[in-house]
Amino acid sequence: MKRAIGKCWRDSASLIVIAKRNVDVSSSGNAGDCNYDILLQTRTHSASFSNSVVFPGGVCEEADASDHWLHLLSSFGYNHRDFETLHKASAPVTPILANNPVKRHIALRITAIRETFEELGLLICSSRHKNNKSDSWSQFVCGVDVKYWQARLNKDPLDFLVLCKEHNCYPDIFGLHYWSNWLSPTHLPRRFDTAFFLAALENKPSDIKANSEVVKVEWSTPLDTLERNKNRQLILYPPQAYELNRFSYFKDIDKLKDFAKEKSCEGNDLIFPTAIQAADGIAHLLPGDYLYPSNVDLNIETVIEEAKTLEELRDTNQTLHRFETSKRGTFVVTQNYKPSNHINMGDQVKPLNATIHMKV
C-alpha cells in the first residue's frame, strides 16, 4: 500500500463492549443461542455518522499519548515488559500503528476508553494492582460524577488523567483486545483511520449516561442487530455491519473473549475498500479479494470500470472478500477467504442493509 507523506484522515478508536446476557428490559428479545449482548448507540442527526448505530469511540487527542499515562500505569505495577505484550514485533504494522506500535497501542486504547466515557459515561478503568488482576474481563469503575467529568473532558481531554488520579484508577488497557483497523474510503469529506478494540464485561453496568450526541443506547445481540438492520429498522455503516457479522460466528462470550485476547497482539490487515463499477452495481473490494489491487494508494480515489456484472465478477475458484451494492441491495460476500489471525466466516452471500457512500 502507498501512503502519502501528508495523510488526509484523523486517527480514531472505537470500543466494542460486550457483556454477559441477562434477562432485563435493556436487552433485545431475539437472542437465539447467544449468551452476550453488544453495547450500541444511535447518534444524533448533527453528529458524525448521523442517525446510525455505532460502537462508542472518537478521534485521538494528543493527551492520550502523554507519558504521564505510563507513570500512572507504573504506579499500579505495570512495566515495560507488560507494555510490549500489546504488540508482537513480527505482527503487521498498519498506518495507525506506524512508528511506535507499542506506544500507539497504549494511546489508542486510552482514546477508546476516554471516548466511551465521554459518550456513555461508562468508565473502563481498574483500581486493582497488576498482581491482583489476573482475569481477562474488563473492569469498570462506578461512583463517578459522570456529567461533571464529561463536561471537563469535553473541554480538555487531559483531564481524563485528573479523573483517574482522583478516583485512584487507571484506564484498563490490558482488558482491551485489539480487534481490527478500518480506513474510510477516499471520497468521503471526513475520513477516519479507526482501531477497533473489544472489551468484555462480566456484568452489565447499571447506569449509563449518554451525552448530547447520542439519542439511544441499547444492548443487543449481533444477530438481532443485523436482522433489524436488514429490515431497515436501523442504520449501519460497513464497519459495524461487517464486525457484527463476524461476531455472529461466536455464540459464547467466554470463547469470544479468549479468542480476542489470544489474537490481540498478532495484528491484522488494514481494511480499506476499493471500488469496481460493474455493469449492474458496485463491488467494494476488501483485502484478500482476488481483484484487490496489489498496490493501493490510501490517499487517491481509484474506481475501476468493468463491463461484467457483479455475478460474473464472482470467479468460483478465486478468493472473494467484498461488499456488493446493486438494486437488489447490499451484500457481504466471502469465498475461500481465510484471514490471518481472525475469524473465518466461510463462504457466504449475506444481505446487509449497510449505508455505503460511494461516489461513482
Side-chain angles (χ1 to χ4, degrees):
M1 292 183 177
K2 294 181 180 179
R3 184 187 182 191
I5 295 176
K7 69 180 184 181
C8 51
W9 58 76
R10 297 189 71 181
D11 291 342
S12 64
S14 282
L15 189 56
I16 305 170
V17 181
I18 63 174
K20 282 187 176 180
R21 184 175 177 80
N22 49 41
V23 180
D24 58 35
V25 294
S26 66
S27 293
S28 60
N30 184 16
D33 55 354
C34 179
N35 67 2
Y36 65 91
D37 286 316
I38 297 180
L39 183 60
L40 303 170
Q41 61 182 28
T42 304
R43 291 192 184 276
T44 63
H45 178 72
S46 60
S48 299
F49 306 104
S50 60
N51 301 320
S52 62
V53 172
V54 297
F55 311 120
V59 298
C60 301
E61 301 288 352
E62 186 177 350
D64 301 331
S66 169
D67 287 340
H68 291 297
W69 289 112
L70 300 180
H71 300 317
L72 177 64
L73 289 160
S74 297
S75 69
F76 285 87
Y78 294 99
N79 55 43
H80 186 66
R81 288 184 179 179
D82 296 312
F83 302 142
E84 287 186 332
T85 64
L86 297 176
H87 183 84
K88 266 190 178 180
S90 58
V93 178
T94 59
I96 202 167
L97 298 176
N99 300 324
N100 190 330
V102 171
K103 188 173 182 179
R104 295 292 294 143
H105 265 285
I106 297 170
L108 288 164
R109 281 168 163 79
I110 292 172
T111 297
I113 293 170
R114 175 183 55 75
E115 284 286 340
T116 297
F117 177 76
E118 285 191 48
E119 293 181 339
L120 300 181
L122 175 58
L123 186 59
I124 305 293
C125 286
S126 177
S127 298
R128 297 181 183 179
H129 189 276
K130 170 189 168 182
N131 295 336
N132 298 321
K133 190 175 182 299
S134 57
D135 57 48
S136 55
W137 293 102
S138 300
Q139 307 295 311
F140 60 92
V141 172
C142 301
V144 175
D145 187 339
V146 172
K147 294 300 182 183
Y148 168 77
W149 284 106
Q150 282 178 330
R152 283 191 58 170
L153 268 60
N154 185 54
K155 294 179 180 179
D156 186 357
L158 193 56
D159 277 349
F160 187 32
L161 183 66
V162 180
L163 184 162
C164 289
K165 288 182 176 180
E166 288 194 9
H167 288 270
N168 191 36
C169 65
Y170 58 93
D172 190 11
I173 65 171
F174 294 98
L176 268 60
H177 311 303
Y178 176 67
W179 185 257
S180 63
N181 181 197
W182 288 75
L183 176 60
S184 305
T186 53
H187 67 277
L188 293 179
R190 288 188 294 177
R191 299 180 64 199
F192 300 94
D193 186 10
T194 305
F196 287 82
F197 296 92
L198 178 74
L201 306 181
E202 194 168 14
N203 301 292
K204 288 181 181 176
S206 59
D207 188 19
I208 291 180
K209 296 179 180 179
N211 67 15
S212 59
E213 291 189 352
V214 178
V215 296
K216 182 180 180 181
V217 181
E218 63 181 315
W219 293 93
S220 178
T221 65
L223 284 176
D224 178 72
T225 309
L226 290 170
E227 184 66 22
R228 288 186 291 144
N229 171 247
K230 187 175 69 173
N231 295 332
R232 301 186 182 278
Q233 296 173 298
L234 54 83
I235 299 172
L236 292 175
Y237 281 86
Q240 288 74 27
Y242 183 96
E243 297 300 357
L244 285 165
N245 183 47
R246 279 210 277 208
F247 280 118
S248 70
Y249 287 81
F250 273 92
K251 308 299 183 184
D252 181 72
I253 189 172
D254 288 290
K255 292 181 179 179
L256 174 55
K257 170 175 62 70
D258 292 344
F259 173 87
K261 181 180 180 180
E262 178 185 355
K263 300 298 182 182
S264 181
C265 66
E266 300 283 352
N268 44 54
D269 292 332
L270 172 68
I271 304 179
F272 174 67
T274 66
I276 289 184
Q277 176 67 66
D280 60 344
I282 306 170
H284 311 271
L285 306 177
L286 302 176
D289 194 287
Y290 84 103
L291 290 176
Y292 195 81
S294 59
N295 199 7
V296 176
D297 193 317
L298 302 179
N299 283 324
I300 298 177
E301 181 176 7
T302 302
V303 179
I304 303 170
E305 295 192 5
E306 176 60 62
K308 294 181 179 180
T309 65
L310 292 172
E311 186 71 30
E312 290 170 338
L313 287 173
R314 292 185 200 165
D315 188 308
T316 57
N317 296 317
Q318 297 281 5
T319 299
L320 305 179
H321 187 210
R322 61 184 66 175
F323 289 107
E324 292 181 354
T325 301
S326 66
K327 293 181 179 179
R328 295 174 54 240
T330 298
F331 299 80
V332 59
V333 180
T334 57
Q335 175 183 279
N336 300 327
Y337 175 61
K338 297 178 181 179
S340 300
N341 307 316
H342 228 302
I343 298 170
N344 185 347
M345 296 181 287
D347 296 350
Q348 63 176 339
V349 179
K350 184 176 292 186
L352 292 176
N353 181 30
T355 301
I356 299 180
H357 298 301
M358 185 60 67
K359 185 178 69 175
V360 293

